[in-house]
Structures are given as structure tokens and as C-alpha cells.
Amino acid sequence: MATYVKDFSEGDKDQKDLLGGKGANLAEMTRLGLPVPPGFTITTEACREFLRTGEVPAELRVEVTMALRRLEDALGRQLGDFHEPLLVSVRSGAKFSMPGMMETVLNVGLNDASVQGLAEYSGDERFAWDSYRRLIQMFGRTVLDLDGELFSQALDDAKAARGATSDVDLTAEDLRGLVETFKDIVRRETGRDFPQHPREQLDMAIVAVLASWGTERARLYRRKERIPDDLGTAVNVCSMVFGNLGPTSGTGVAFTRDPATGKSGDYGDYLVNAQGEDVVAGIRNTATLADLEQIDPTAYAELRQAMRRLETHYRDLCDIEFTIERGKLWMLQTRVGKRTAAAAFRIATHLVDENLITMDEALSRVTGAQLSQLLFPQFAAGSDATLLTTAMAASPGAAVGRVVLDSATAVERAAQGEDVILVRRETNPDDLGGMIAAVGVLTARGGKTSHAAVVARGMGRTAVVGAEAVVIDLTSRSFTVAGRTVREGDLIAIDGSTGEVFWGDVDVVPSPVTRYLEDGLDAALAATDDEEVRDLVRSVDRILRHADATRRLRVLANADTPEDAARARRLGAQGIGLCRTEHMFLGERREHIEHVVLAEDDAAHLAALDALLPLQREDFVGLLREMDGLPTTIRLLDPPLHEFLPDLTELSVKVALAEERGEVDEGDVRLLAAVRRMHEANPMLGLRGVRLGLVVPGLFALQIRAVCEAVAIRRAEGGDPHAEIMVPLVGSVQELRLVREEALRIMSEVGAEHGIEIDLPVGVMIELPRAALTADRIAAQAQFFSFGTNDLTQTTWGFSRDDVEGAFFAQYTANGVLTVSPFETIDAKGVGRLVQIAVEEGRATRPDLVIGVCGEHGGDPESIRFFDAVGLDYVSCSPFRVPVARLEAGRAAVTGVDADTR
Ligand code: ADP
Ligand code: MG
Ligand code: MG
């Protein structure tokens, strides 16, 4: 028989799957002997059964009866009894906390009769009626699904009638009246009386919690947080203790460390004569824990002891809910507390210094995502800008600029040197120009996978999306928000890490952690005398150095220019895993490519290529100088040649217009013919990569020669160049063999010319399924593999990234086909499977094969863990992701993931 109910005394903190987080931790506190009001947990298994059948399992009713009787016997009171009623709370609690998704009902068991019993038993009539009105209010909202406003309005009216500002000023009589009003509301809105039978109240509340798992709101939240839909929630039934029993009672929350800054020491809020959420609802001003020490030294001392006990036990920051009933402390909840990124790093190292955790554990407790949050520029503290609204933090950073309401205006104003923030209802591919021109993007619609969010993250643009409060009016060129009108041209500031939108100017400063990464520890420490900031920087430094010492993966960078290379090196890159040479054919050099394409005979063709040689050589010399001593992987030309030629339509128009005027330019006509000839219906799958190198004579030879000569020059300068040649888009080993033979020939030629030996590794990008599937053969010709996971994802899924990502990924995420874009996090089951095959078969042929990844995934935390698990040697990512990759590679080494179980 399935077990649907467990007493608090039966579980422990490791049973979160079955008992939910709240239930598991209540059980753990009970086990530790802390004062937890007794109760029981209805397991997630019951919820899953309920979700499957739509009905409460029959055994559940029986098990609840048994558990309830045990509880009643232990306490010597009965649920809803007329004399000394036992009351309970019915509390939701899933494995992962889902704040605000499913609410708790307190004081279950109160009715018209037991409220009298409670009054007698407690000797406090006011308290009894206050508890009853709370029950009807919470039950009405949560179980009967009524509009909470109806109740809060009635409460406000009651306060107004009495001339009271606070709920504690209401008398027993007032509250008795309020109960009648609340009951009327229930009758009017549901056509039924508020249920008087205690067990019926309990059962209805339990069903409401079980059902709340499936509400649209909860579903959306889970999708956003990537929590699986089939976990289900547990339900905790907990005997009530009362913080609203007068001045010697109260309720509070406490943290064993400051979750905002990580500073050591107890933090908390306490509210006298209050129940449940009152303390965080801002209804009255709260007291601090220091105040509590004055109010009730004994209860305070007991709380301190419990907090210390919990922190020692969990070895981490604990977040606690407690209630004091007439001087007696009760613990109602604990969990390992959420914290800001800065607090995460500081707390981790503090715990190491207190000898509570090891450095390995400290490393596993911070994430790459947290580190990247510390890298974004910040709004300087102490500005007086007005907060307009808070929406979804879609792409981190801090941006200040003038409002522009369309892309064309954004481009125009940015061209005049202005910083602009593009404000749109939502964006679509036509807004790309505006998004590039803007320093930030704000949209009124859309979620974290909307076009605006995806594109902004992709280009590192700050974005806040889904600001529902923003109503744009294009005719008056303005938008309204929170009753204010903001005009195009007004200054606003958006924080993509918090989702905040401000009116007016806010200073933006580089973060201290960025400073540390760029300039080193001493410089960063010297730059501030804020001890908190210095402590943060030191914590990041310690953990990052530990990651470097621990990780198995090397971290390289994708860099095309000496400047990028230098930056990457400062940030800790151990080489270049991808230098894209197409960047070297842009700008003024396009013209040379045109000559190559238009050459009428071999001699003209070779001459055109020759003109490129010195330029390329200089590029490589610069790169190898910055990367002295470190591997520098140079990828031969990858994109189709027509990408370097004028646009077909534009050129057609130009030629047609010229013809009309009778001023035909022979060059343009020939160019147009070439562009037509080279036009491809599907360039992504067309003449590019190694195919181009084999079809256009001399092209790869030129690049290889340039690399070899650059190596010779650097050696002559006394340098230590480590260039490697990487061939893109290989599908067959024969392609690679042809390029490799040519490369070997050129190496020995250039070597002979300079009287040195040149022996550069030649490797291959694995970015086509066929390459992965024939890796054993390819490895015979390749000294290294580098997974181009972007193209490999495109070709595995048959997605053209530019076409699909903005077009329907939002929908695909909404309907659950994708949980995350496979372009952001490696699709371990599909694309990852190909990676695994290629690694295994490549190494079978060549055990010393060096294998890395140079797609964007190389900088994605979850993907990095995957690459570590499947045995890659390095990841290569954009320079600014290097610190994150170093950290995540370290975490992968200490936490370890089994690639097959993901
Ligand atoms: P949440 O998941 O939103 O934190 P909880 O289940 O913890 O919801 O309950 C909401 C509030 O009610 C909290 O302040 C909690 O401490 C309080 N509460 C819950 N159960 C009891 C109880 N048995 N006695 C007194 N207060 C309770
Ligand atoms: Mg709680
Ligand atoms: Mg590619």
C-alpha cells in the first residue's frame, strides 16, 4: 500500500521528493528536538495520484483520519472541539519552493461553536474572533477561490468604522461583526454557507492545496523556473500555535546570516501580537531581533540557540519562521535560505573560515550564473531616480538612455551618438537594427524567452521585458506607466538584473568583481575602502583560484583580434580555441575578395589572393604575440564567399538604374553576374567551410601560408607561437585528408624558406552529424577535434537558428516542446549524444586526440558540466564568459554529473 501520510517525527531533510521541502525540514527540526508544533505531511505521492485520477485517493482519507487521531491523542484535544479545540494549519510545500503560488490556510477547525471554546480556553475573546475571521478570509481566498479584495475591503471598512489605523485596534466585538460580514461574503459569492464541520474544512483545504499544483499560475511559474510538472506538492497539516495571543506573543522570520550581503550575524523581523504572514505583509512596523531580546529575553535566547543549532546542522545560511505563544518559542519552518550572488560568495568563504565546510563545498555552493551577475555594470548607489515599474529581468546589466519608440529612431539617434533605450510593446526580427543600436531594451509584453529577451541576451544587451504596466501610445510618442507619462527622448534607466525601470538618470559603474578580474586582486582592493566590497572581492578570488586548481577542463577563449585575445588572457583564458578568420576579410578587404571572385584566369586569381597574404600574416602575428606560449587555434574560412559580396537585390537595383541612365559600369555588371551565380537558396548548407576551401583554388593555401609565415616571424622575434589549424564543416575524412596534405606541404615549404621546422597541429571542427558519426575515420587525419555546437545543433535539429529562434521558440517553450533553447544549453540527449559518440570513437582511433568545444555552449554552466562529464579537454567561449567557465569547470570537477542520467 502506498504511504500517503507521514508524521513529522517520521521523516528527515533528505526526503524532499516525498515530503516536499517544507515537510522534510519540519521533520528534520522535529528530529533535532527543536520545538515544532506536531503534525503530519501528506506526501507528493498522494498529490501525483490526485493529479492522475482527478480524485482524492480513498486511502488518503483513511490515513488522514489515523494521523489526525494520533495528533489529537498526543495533544489531548480534538479538532474543532467545543471546549479546547485543536486547530491546524494546512500548508503547501513542494520539493522546490514556489513562492506565492499556493497559499496556506491557518486556524482550520474553527466554527461558530469552537470559537467560543477557543475564547474560554485562551481566556481571550478578541484573539478567538481574530483567529476565526482569519480562517474565513484565508479559506475564502485559497480554498473557495474568492477575490481576496472582498475580505480586505471589509476589514478596512471595519477599521474605518472604529476609527482604527491598525488591525490590533479592533475589539472582540468588532471582530465578531467582521466574522458575520465574512460569512455573508462567502454565502453571497458561493451560494453556500462557510463550512462549519472541522473535518470538512480540513478536507477541502487539503484538496485545494493538491489542486493548486495544477493551476495555470503554478504551471507558468514552473516553466519559468524549469521545475518539472510531475513532481506534485506535499501538504503539511500542523497543529496551530498562536502569535496573536496578546503582547507576550508574536511571529517572526529570521536568517542566520544576512541573505542580501552575506554579512555574518542574525537578521530578522518580529511582529508582536500577529499571526502568519502579518510579519512580512507590511501591515505594521516590525521589530528587529535585537528588539525581541528586550521584549522577551528568554524566548530570544531560545531562538538564538535554535538558529545556531540549525546553521551548524545544515552548515549553511538558514531561513526560519517562528512564533512565540505567550512566551513559548515554536519553530514553524526552516530551509537553506536563498541569497544574492554577492552573499553566496561571501557566505561560502565565511563558512570555510569557520571550518564548517571545505573549499570544495564552498565551490559547489556558488554558480556561474551568480558570478556573471557580479560582473555586470551596476547602478551606483544613492541615486534619487523614481522607480516606474518592476518587470522581468531578461538580460542583465544596467543601462541609461533616452526613450525611443521604434527601431528607425533608435538607429538614427544612436548614430548621433546618443545612448537610447528601445521601448516596444514587443520586438520582432525587424527590430534587430534598433536593438543593436540601443544600450537597452524594454518591452511591455513577452517573457524570458520572448524575441526581445532571447536576442538581447544573445548580444549581451540589457533588457527588461513583460512590463505589463507600460502602455505605449505611438501617436503621442510616449508611454504611460504607474500614472506617469514618459515621452520619447526622456531619460530612463533599466536594470536587467532586477527588472527595475527608473525615470531619470542613474550613474552606472563597473562592478568591483569585474575590476578584480581585469586588473587583479590588489588593484580591486585598492579601489575601495568599503570592507563589504573588499570581502566580496576576496571571496570571489579565493573560490575562483580553488576552481582553477581543481578543474580538469582547460578554459580557452574565442577571440579574433589581438585586443580580444589580450582581454581573454587577462580574464584567465589558457589559449584561443577559435579564431574566426572571416573577420579578416571584412571592411576594406572585401574588395580583395571581389577580385578573387571576378578573376578571369588563374593568374589573376592567384594575384588577388597574393594581395591578401601580407594582411592575413599581420593579423596572425598580432594574435600570436598576445597569445605567446599558448595554443592559438585558427579556423580556416567558414562562411560562403557571397557573404563578402554586395547584396543581390541592392546590386541588381544599382545596375538597373545605371543601365537606365545609360551609364553601365562593366565591373558592376560582372559582379552582379557573379553574385547571381553564387546565390544560394540555403547558404547555411551550401558552399562553405571546407567545401569552399576545396572548390576555390588557393584560398586555404593562402591562409595556411599566412599562419606559417606568422609563426616564422614570431619565432624570429624570439616568441613562442603555438598556432593550430582548424578545418570547418568537415563531413568526410577525405575532405580533411586533402586539406591536411596541402597544409603539410605548405608547412615544409615555409619551414624551408625560413630554415626552421614548422609542424602545426591540424584539426577539425565537428559540426555535422556525419562528422560525429564517422569520428573514428576522421580522427586518423585530425590531431584535434573541436565541437562547433552551434552548427551541430542546427544540423542535428534541422533548425536554422536565425530563422527559428525569434520566430517560434517562445511558443515551443510555452507548450513544453523545449524547456530551454538548445542554442543556449546543449541538448544532451540529442546533440550531446553525437558529442559522446565522436569522443569515444575519435579516442579509440587516436588516444591522444585533444578534444574541445568552441560553440557558445562552451560558456554555458549546464553545458560545461556535460562537457566535463563526457571527457572533453577544454571549453572555449567568448572572453567575457571565461571567468564563469573557469568557475563552472571547477564546480563540475567537485560535484560531478553522470552524463547519462541527465
Ligand atoms: P509559505 O510557504 O508561504 O511560507 P507557510 O505554510 O509557511 O507558507 O505558512 C504561512 C504563514 O503561516 C507563515 O508565517 C507560517 O509561519 C504560519 N504558520 C503556518 N502554520 C502555522 C501553525 N501551525 N501555527 C502558526 N503559524 C503557522
Ligand atoms: Mg513559510
Ligand atoms: Mg560552424
Side-chain angles (χ1 to χ4, degrees):
M1 181 171 139
T3 332
Y4 290 140
V5 176
K6 296 264 188 212
D7 281 353
F8 288 169
S9 56
E10 289 179 306
D12 63 51
K13 70 174 173 12
D14 299 323
Q15 298 182 37
K16 291 198 177 67
D17 285 319
L18 187 66
L19 303 177
K22 198 183 285 171
N25 287 323
L26 280 167
E28 187 75 13
M29 286 200 293
T30 304
R31 234 167 51 94
L32 286 176
L34 293 173
V36 177
F40 54 88
T41 302
I42 296 168
T43 62
T44 55
E45 213 166 297
C47 183
R48 286 192 293 271
E49 186 62 17
F50 172 78
L51 294 172
R52 203 157 34 236
T53 61
E55 274 167 43
V56 175
E59 299 89 335
L60 179 61
R61 289 195 194 286
V62 176
E63 288 190 43
V64 166
T65 304
M66 309 293 282
L68 189 59
R69 287 194 176 194
R70 282 196 300 272
L71 186 61
E72 290 175 334
D73 292 348
L75 297 174
R77 288 184 278 142
Q78 297 203 355
L79 186 69
D81 190 71
F82 295 178
H83 297 294
E84 292 185 11
L86 165 67
L87 305 182
V88 295
S89 61
V90 179
R91 322 169 62 185
S92 68
K95 176 174 183 185
F96 302 105
S97 94
M98 294 170 55
M101 286 305 120
M102 297 174 288
E103 278 171 85
T104 284
V105 185
L106 304 181
N107 308 330
V108 169
L110 274 180
N111 55 25
D112 295 350
S114 62
V115 68
Q116 308 283 1
L118 185 65
E120 271 166 45
Y121 159 66
S122 65
D124 186 339
E125 207 175 336
R126 184 197 173 278
F127 151 74
W129 288 102
D130 183 49
S131 303
Y132 195 15
R133 71 90 188 164
R134 286 170 190 269
L135 168 65
I136 306 174
Q137 185 167 3
M138 283 184 266
F139 197 92
R141 233 186 26 224
T142 308
V143 182
L144 304 175
D145 213 15
L146 301 181
D147 182 0
E149 269 302 300
L150 296 171
F151 298 103
S152 21
Q153 190 56 53
L155 177 60
D156 285 346
D157 292 347
K159 280 196 283 191
R162 150 94 19 208
T165 49
S166 158
D167 61 320
V168 286
D169 299 331
L170 294 177
T171 63
E173 222 19 70
D174 297 334
L175 291 163
R176 188 201 297 267
L178 197 54
V179 162
E180 285 313 313
T181 314
F182 280 6
K183 286 201 288 192
D184 288 344
I185 294 175
V186 169
R187 194 174 311 117
R188 193 178 71 229
E189 297 293 320
T190 66
R192 268 200 57 179
D193 281 333
F194 173 75
Q196 289 289 318
H197 198 288
R199 178 64 195 259
E200 189 186 2
Q201 291 175 2
L202 177 63
D203 286 341
M204 286 175 76
I206 290 172
V207 172
V209 173
L210 295 177
S212 68
W213 177 262
T215 58
E216 195 50 36
R217 200 164 64 128
R219 249 177 235 286
L220 278 175
Y221 180 86
R222 288 196 294 273
R223 204 163 290 148
K224 196 165 86 28
E225 300 294 318
R226 296 166 69 185
I227 298 171
D229 263 337
D230 54 6
L231 297 179
T233 182
V235 188
N236 301 289
V237 177
C238 181
S239 49
M240 283 301 300
V241 291
F242 300 101
N244 51 341
L245 261 172
T248 55
S249 305
T251 183
V253 293
F255 300 91
T256 57
R257 291 164 198 254
D258 185 346
T261 66
K263 216 168 146 183
S264 298
D266 302 336
Y267 286 78
D269 293 310
Y270 182 68
L271 194 61
V272 173
N273 197 9
Q275 190 173 50
E277 309 275 73
D278 290 358
V279 63
V280 288
I283 55 164
R284 280 180 270 143
N285 284 337
T286 55
T288 63
L289 290 192
D291 299 332
L292 175 60
E293 186 172 13
Q294 304 302 316
I295 300 169
D296 189 339
T298 320
Y300 172 77
E302 208 186 332
L303 175 66
R304 280 289 311 266
Q305 212 174 19
M307 287 169 75
R308 190 183 147 89
R309 185 85 195 277
L310 286 173
E311 193 171 85
T312 310
H313 187 68
Y314 284 84
R315 300 186 305 134
D316 205 346
L317 157 70
C318 291
D319 164 340
I320 290 157
E321 290 175 7
F322 66 95
T323 279
I324 295 172
E325 181 183 312
R326 289 186 171 154
K328 163 93 183 88
L329 173 75
W330 292 100
M331 303 292 284
L332 289 171
Q333 191 173 338
T334 192
R335 65 188 154 204
V336 168
K338 297 213 163 91
R339 65 206 73 183
T340 62
F345 278 88
R346 290 183 67 195
I347 289 173
T349 52
H350 295 169
L351 290 171
V352 170
D353 292 340
E354 293 163 30
N355 296 309
L356 275 173
I357 62 173
T358 64
M359 269 315 277
D360 277 1
E361 285 173 303
L363 177 55
S364 71
R365 287 188 184 185
V366 295
T367 66
Q370 285 170 330
L371 179 59
S372 37
Q373 272 176 28
L374 296 176
L375 301 184
F376 287 101
Q378 305 169 339
F379 285 138
S383 94
D384 48 17
T386 317
L387 180 67
L388 288 174
T389 185
T390 303
M392 220 173 288
S395 178
V400 184
R402 305 217 166 257
V403 170
V404 288
L405 295 173
D406 63 59
S407 255
T409 316
V411 172
E412 195 179 299
R413 292 241 185 158
Q416 291 159 10
E418 242 176 302
D419 282 344
V420 296
I421 292 181
L422 180 64
V423 182
R424 302 281 288 159
R425 192 160 171 275
E426 56 211 338
T427 63
N428 61 45
D430 292 338
D431 290 312
L432 201 61
M435 293 180 74
I436 293 169
V439 294
V441 182
L442 169 64
T443 67
R445 291 297 173 85
K448 280 202 165 163
T449 51
S450 62
H451 177 268
V454 170
V455 174
R457 272 199 299 277
M459 48 192 205
R461 206 54 95 243
T462 299
V464 172
V465 302
E468 305 270 356
V470 168
V471 180
I472 300 173
D473 180 9
L474 283 176
T475 42
S476 67
R477 304 302 289 177
S478 66
F479 66 83
T480 55
V481 55
R484 290 166 197 276
T485 304
V486 181
R487 302 195 180 285
E488 190 160 54
D490 284 359
L491 210 51
I492 61 167
I494 60 174
D495 187 331
S497 314
T498 62
E500 291 168 316
V501 181
F502 297 96
W503 201 5
D505 199 1
V506 190
D507 281 342
V508 175
V509 293
S511 83
V513 175
T514 301
R515 204 165 185 146
Y516 149 72
L517 290 167
E518 291 265 358
D519 305 334
L521 183 61
D522 293 342
L525 291 179
T528 173
D529 46 14
D530 182 336
E531 204 30 61
E532 304 255 321
V533 173
R534 293 161 61 100
D535 186 55
L536 169 63
V537 170
R538 271 191 233 105
S539 298
V540 172
D541 172 62
R542 279 171 68 184
I543 293 181
L544 210 47
R545 276 190 291 121
H546 186 70
D548 286 341
T550 310
R551 65 190 158 88
R552 196 186 55 72
L553 283 171
R554 282 183 293 136
V555 176
L556 279 62
N558 299 347
D560 308 334
T561 63
E563 298 74 51
D564 273 358
R567 173 133 205 265
R569 198 167 185 164
R570 280 201 305 279
L571 294 174
Q574 295 163 285
I576 290 180
L578 173 65
C579 164
R580 301 179 190 81
T581 51
E582 49 269 31
H583 290 244
M584 303 168 180
F585 293 92
L586 295 175
E588 290 168 6
R589 301 182 187 179
R590 262 176 211 270
E591 187 188 329
H592 295 289
I593 295 280
E594 284 180 19
H595 292 162
V596 172
V597 171
L598 294 179
E600 305 216 306
D601 52 39
D602 288 355
H605 181 88
L606 289 181
L609 282 173
D610 269 350
L612 277 165
L613 180 65
L615 301 170
Q616 280 258 283
R617 189 172 56 214
E618 274 320 297
D619 292 331
F620 296 138
V621 169
L623 208 59
L624 291 170
R625 188 173 288 132
E626 291 298 342
M627 278 290 135
D628 203 48
L630 296 178
T632 307
T633 315
I634 293 159
R635 178 176 73 181
L636 301 177
L637 197 63
D638 184 46
L641 272 193
H642 53 75
E643 276 196 11
F644 303 96
L645 299 181
D647 177 72
L648 174 60
T649 324
E650 272 169 33
L651 191 59
S652 307
V653 171
K654 184 178 174 200
V655 170
L657 288 176
E659 269 171 359
E660 243 171 55
R661 291 193 303 267
E663 306 164 358
V664 183
D665 178 333
E666 256 328 294
D668 281 347
V669 172
R670 278 173 47 217
L671 192 56
L672 178 60
V675 171
R676 280 224 175 90
R677 194 171 61 240
M678 292 167 67
H679 180 75
E680 292 175 317
N682 206 339
M684 188 189 98
L685 302 175
L687 181 57
R688 50 174 287 221
V690 67
R691 304 161 193 172
L692 193 65
L694 295 178
V695 170
V696 179
L699 182 63
F700 276 9
L702 147 79
Q703 291 198 293
I704 296 167
R705 174 167 279 276
V707 174
C708 292
E709 291 186 358
V711 166
I713 290 170
R714 282 297 300 144
R715 290 233 194 112
E717 289 174 359
D720 181 21
H722 287 266
E724 307 190 359
I725 289 171
M726 182 154 79
V727 187
L729 216 76
V730 165
S732 153
V733 66
Q734 299 308 336
E735 293 170 319
L736 182 60
R737 185 179 55 77
L738 293 172
V739 177
R740 181 180 161 78
E741 277 165 9
E742 183 158 40
L744 294 178
R745 181 177 54 72
I746 296 169
M747 285 181 219
S748 69
E749 266 174 35
V750 176
E753 284 160 23
H754 291 80
I756 53 174
E757 200 196 321
I758 300 180
D759 180 17
L760 311 182
V762 177
V764 64
M765 278 189 81
I766 305 285
E767 48 190 341
L768 295 174
R770 192 177 193 284
L773 296 171
T774 58
D776 55 338
R777 297 165 57 81
I778 290 182
Q781 295 286 329
Q783 280 151 286
F784 63 89
F785 280 0
S786 177
F787 290 98
T789 46
N790 191 42
D791 268 323
L792 191 58
T793 301
Q794 298 200 84
T795 52
T796 301
W797 279 87
F799 281 157
S800 152
R801 181 173 186 174
D802 294 342
D803 295 321
V804 298
E805 214 169 30
F808 65 86
F809 267 28
Q811 231 167 310
Y812 258 41
T813 323
N815 64 20
V817 176
L818 297 174
T819 47
V820 61
S821 163
F823 294 107
E824 267 172 49
T825 294
I826 186 104
D827 154 34
K829 295 204 178 71
V831 179
R833 183 85 189 96
L834 287 170
V835 171
Q836 272 177 303
I837 292 172
V839 169
E840 275 159 31
E841 306 212 337
R843 289 230 171 96
T845 302
R846 190 192 283 263
D848 64 346
L849 187 70
V850 176
I851 308 182
V853 55
C854 64
E856 266 175 70
H857 295 102
D860 168 65
E862 203 170 312
S863 309
I864 290 172
R865 279 201 290 284
F866 174 81
F867 295 133
D868 184 65
V870 298
L872 262 50
D873 297 302
Y874 69 86
V875 294
S876 185
C877 56
S878 73
F880 80 97
R881 299 289 298 172
V882 164
V884 170
R886 285 162 57 199
L887 184 79
E888 285 292 345
R891 293 185 69 224
V894 296
T895 53
V897 197
D898 180 357
D900 292 327
T901 61
R902 290 163 23 95

